[in-house]
Each structure stands twice: as structure tokens, then as C-alpha cells.
Amino acid sequence: MSTENEGNAVPKAPSAPPVPVDAPAASAGSADAAASAADSRAATGAVPSAEPGVPGAGAGAGAGSAAAGAWPPPQPPTVPSYAAGGGSGSGWGASYQPQEPKPGRRRGGLVAGVLAAALLAGGVGGGVGYWAAEQNDNDTGSTTVAAADTPADLKREPGSVARIASDALPSVVTIEAQSGSGEGGTGTGFVYDKQGHILTNNHVVASAAEGGKLQATFSNGKKYAAEVIGRAEGYDVAVVKLKNTPGDLKPLPLGNSDRVAVGDSTIAIGAPFGLSNTVTTGIISAKNRPVTSSDGGQSGKSSYMSALQTDASINPGNSGGPLLDGRGAVIGINSAIKPADSGGLGGSGQSGSIGLGFAIPVNQAKNVAQQLIKTGQPVYPVIGASVSLRQETGDGAMISREGAGGSEAITPNGPADKAGLKPGDVITKLDDMVIDSGPTLIGQIWTHKPGDTVKITYERDGKEHTVDVTLGQRKGDS
């Protein structure tokens, strides 16, 4: 399997997060908002659909369409999100799939590099040792100063990165997923409760969900077999459970992602490139970043989030791991990165961090986890309308003229229908957030719950209108 979301290109998402109404939207973000690939549409509850004869719409209701209010949404366009160029279309999740080493390269190269550094250090150390010995023969004085080494001096204060990492690491696991055919990859997860539930990304465990194997390894080296309890492909969230739950599990405390501010400190823990128990630090770089990803080619389905962006180093293998705040509370699930060599959120290889990482807000992940533990399936809020993903102007999310397979674009008697929305309407705001594309609308809707009432601003025939919409629901991913 590929837990780095490889093999599926994703639609181009806006380069700027939705902003409050009183803040001007960046023009560059608008121009970069939507993918320019053929016939791609997505379900928002809102469902992607064809848009014959309408700018920004698909050419027809082909196989890439989904019935209104139905799942799955179609595979995204071939241009990756945030694309500035091409990219071969591997997705941009941040988990790690070991690749077959070539003779004399890859792992051998890594070992050779380490050995070379060790040999170099040995050579330098030997030279310095000889110089010091020679000096000692000619000099009876000493200028060496020893650092203090008392327990009080080595104490890590509460709130320090070292203290937070020390407290959190025993609750973080490295997940090894293997499909029935033997393919596998490595990701991360963290202890959600004392009953043995582990929270992670769907794309980390997707290949092992049907007859595969899962193993969770704690920081102390203890390994436990695990099983998938539930997966939410649209949210990219999954819950697995340890088969033999130890009695000393310590769940990580969950923070409030709604109260996170740009500039807040962050700490990411995971297994980048299989290197378990790795800790990196950074800040919250942005909030409400529209992010679209695929599940690594397992099903061709896409996930949508209104993400927290961080510059803490996140790499393939970090997927599913916790993003902590300065108190050590979980504020997000690390899920995606923008690789350096792709030109967009995707790319042909498992590139490293360039300081652009994205996490699912923990408030949303917590709601999804509760659904999965209780029923085994996710629940999605919907507006009951199809929207096109092919919108080049960044002016909003257009309700399609036609739904998947020639169906109606607006579900009869659904939320959008009751609110008076019609095909061709362009949704420009949801509550106080600017909507510049279909994926942005989906991600914003999915931050809510079924039954919530949201205020939708839309344009029709050049005039702006506002209407309240009570969100409906759809159960399951299929």
C-alpha cells in the first residue's frame, strides 16, 4: 500500500485560507483557487457534478460524477492542490512507505553516509587527541571548564519542549500496516482513551482494513496487534483498537482547535521515514487552509479539510501523529505536506518537509472518532447540492446545472432545495468565511455537524443573496 497518498492527483485548492468577511481575500489566492483538469466534481453534501455550457463546470456527467448527496465523490483533477506546475500526481499525505532499495543504494547509501560521518569524526577526533597529548607534554596548565551536572541543573521545566515530549511520547505509537498481499507502510497514531482506541489517518490504515495486519509499537518498544474499528475516508480519520489493551495506557489530552491562534507554538511527534519517536517544533502558520487529498490510491476517493498549517517539520511517516500546542494538548492530526520537488501538493516522490504541513483540527477529529467508535461509520453534514470543482476564477463554488449521471443537481426537499438555492448559483460565503472554490466549501461544511444552521451568501444573476441553511446528513462513505 501507499500511505503517502501516492498515485492520485488532487484538485488545486486555493493558496490562501478562507478569511472572515471583514478581511480582504488575497487576489493571488483567488487566482490560484481551483484545479484546471477535466470533469472533476466532489460531494459537499454538495456533490460534484457536470456543468455543460457553464464556465467552471465539467463537460458532462461521466463516470467521474456522483449522485447528489451520495458518495464517493469523483477522483480529483490531475493538477495537484496548490500546484504551480505539474507533478506526476502522487498525493501529499505525510505517512511513509518503505521502498525497495537498489543494490548499493537507498538504505545502503544511508548507512554509508552514517559510516562516512563516523569515520570522519574518528579521523578528526584522532587528530585532536594527538594534538592535545602533544600540548599536554609541553604544558602543565589546564583551561578545561566542566559544566554543572547536578539534578537541579538538568531539570526540565513544565512547558518546555523536552518536558512535553517526555510526557507525550509514551502515548504515541508507530503504526505498521500491511495488506493481504503483503504491501505495507508506516504511519503514526496516538492513544485516544484507556480502552485502547488509537486515533490516526484513514490513509495510514486503509490497506490493512480488509484482511490485512496492523501493529502498534510504543516508545518503550512494546508491540501490540491492532484492528480497524472504523474509517472515515472523507475526513481522512480512522480509529484502531489494540487487541490486548495494556492497563497503563495514558490518553493524550485533547485541546480546543477553535481557540488556536496563528503564531502559537506547535510540537509534532511521529515516525518520519520510519524513524519512530521523532519530535519537531514550529508554530501555527495559518488556519482554515483548504486542503484536498486522496487516500493513496486505495479507493480513488478524496478527503477535504479546513486545516491547521504548521511549519513544524512533518515528513512521510508523520501521518496520524499528534500536533501538540505549547501545553502538550493535541490540537490536530498531522495529515499532509507540500513536498519541495512537486510544484504542488503532491509529487513523484516521498520528499521531505519544506515547512508546509497540514493537520486536521482536533475538534473535528474528535467528533468523527466518537462516531466511528459508536457506530463504525462516519456521518457527514450536507447541503444536498452538487458543485463543480472546475472553477478557475476563484469567485466561489458554483451549483452545477446537472448532478452525477444526469441526476438533479439539487436534492429534492433537501437543505439547499428548502433554502431556495438553484443550479447556477455561486456560493461565495459560508457564515463569515469566504468561499472561493468547491473544495473550500466542502471543507467548511464538514467542520459543522448535521442539524447546524449556517448562513450562505450566494450570487444569482449578478445580485447577492443570503439565506440560512440547516445542514442534513449522509451516513457512511459509500
Side-chain angles (χ1 to χ4, degrees):
M1 100 175 176
S2 168
T3 55
E4 196 192 3
N5 294 354
E6 294 179 351
N8 288 292
V10 295
K12 186 176 183 180
S15 60
V19 295
V21 171
D22 58 355
S27 60
S30 298
D32 202 20
S36 57
D39 197 20
S40 295
R41 298 163 280 271
T44 68
V47 193
S49 176
E51 186 72 0
V54 179
S65 301
W71 184 262
Q75 191 163 346
T78 56
V79 180
S81 301
Y82 289 69
S88 66
S90 98
W92 47 279
S95 57
Y96 172 58
Q97 179 185 8
Q99 301 183 17
E100 284 295 324
K102 296 180 180 180
R105 302 191 60 169
R106 290 269 182 201
R107 296 181 184 176
L110 176 60
V111 173
V114 173
L115 290 176
L119 290 171
L120 176 62
V124 172
V128 171
Y130 174 79
W131 176 85
E134 184 177 43
Q135 293 301 308
N136 287 336
D137 288 341
N138 301 322
D139 187 1
T140 58
S142 174
T143 58
T144 302
V145 178
D149 196 22
T150 63
D153 295 320
L154 297 177
K155 182 179 180 181
R156 272 71 180 182
E157 296 295 330
S160 67
V161 173
R163 182 68 172 271
I164 291 172
S166 176
D167 291 342
L169 278 168
S171 300
V172 179
V173 299
T174 298
I175 297 175
E176 296 174 66
Q178 188 177 66
S179 68
S181 62
E183 296 181 354
T186 301
T188 308
F190 61 92
V191 178
Y192 178 74
D193 59 26
K194 292 184 178 181
Q195 286 69 46
H197 292 109
I198 305 294
L199 196 54
T200 186
N201 284 137
N202 170 64
H203 74 261
V204 170
V205 302
S207 66
E210 303 294 335
K213 295 180 180 179
L214 282 177
Q215 180 175 266
T217 304
F218 284 81
S219 60
N220 61 7
K222 292 184 178 180
K223 301 177 184 292
Y224 296 86
E227 59 185 344
V228 176
I229 296 299
R231 300 187 295 130
E233 294 172 330
Y235 294 120
D236 196 17
V237 172
V239 175
V240 302
K241 190 175 187 300
L242 305 179
K243 291 185 177 180
N244 295 303
T245 305
D248 58 351
L249 284 181
K250 182 182 178 183
L252 285 181
L254 304 183
N256 184 348
S257 52
D258 290 341
R259 300 184 64 181
V260 170
V262 172
D264 282 352
S265 297
T266 58
I267 301 172
I269 302 179
F273 296 102
L275 301 174
S276 300
N277 311 316
T278 296
V279 178
T280 58
T281 63
I283 63 169
I284 292 293
S285 306
K287 296 176 61 178
N288 302 310
R289 184 70 75 186
V291 167
T292 306
S293 69
S294 63
D295 66 355
Q298 307 304 321
S299 68
K301 297 176 182 178
S302 299
S303 62
Y304 302 87
M305 70 182 89
S306 182
L308 298 175
Q309 180 180 324
T310 181
D311 67 348
S313 182
I314 297 173
N315 291 285
N318 276 103
S319 275
L323 184 68
L324 309 176
D325 63 13
R327 303 170 302 147
V330 180
I331 55 174
I333 300 178
N334 300 318
S335 302
I337 61 172
K338 180 191 181 302
D341 64 350
S342 67
L345 291 175
S348 58
Q350 296 187 354
S351 302
S353 170
I354 59 170
L356 294 174
F358 305 92
I360 301 168
V362 74
N363 289 10
Q364 180 181 28
K366 178 182 177 181
N367 291 335
V368 177
Q370 291 172 342
Q371 297 166 8
L372 296 178
I373 293 172
K374 183 177 181 179
T375 68
Q377 63 178 351
V379 177
Y380 297 92
V382 299
I383 63 170
S386 299
V387 295
S388 172
L389 296 181
R390 283 194 68 218
Q391 297 187 46
E392 323 253 335
T393 64
D395 291 336
M398 179 181 291
I399 298 179
S400 303
R401 301 287 184 184
E402 187 177 80
S407 63
E408 296 185 66
I410 295 181
T411 304
N413 205 36
D417 188 28
K418 291 179 180 178
L421 294 172
K422 296 180 179 180
D425 290 346
V426 179
I427 298 174
T428 58
K429 295 185 186 74
L430 190 147
D431 290 332
D432 61 347
M433 292 296 176
V434 172
I435 301 300
D436 55 9
S437 68
T440 302
L441 176 62
I442 299 170
Q444 283 297 316
I445 289 174
W446 285 2
T447 64
H448 293 272
K449 297 179 181 179
D452 286 353
T453 297
V454 297
K455 187 178 295 295
I456 287 180
T457 301
Y458 65 96
E459 293 180 359
R460 180 188 297 168
D461 299 327
K463 296 181 180 180
E464 186 175 272
H465 306 270
T466 301
V467 66
D468 288 336
V469 177
T470 300
L471 300 176
Q473 70 175 28
R474 186 198 70 222
K475 294 183 178 181
D477 282 315
S478 59

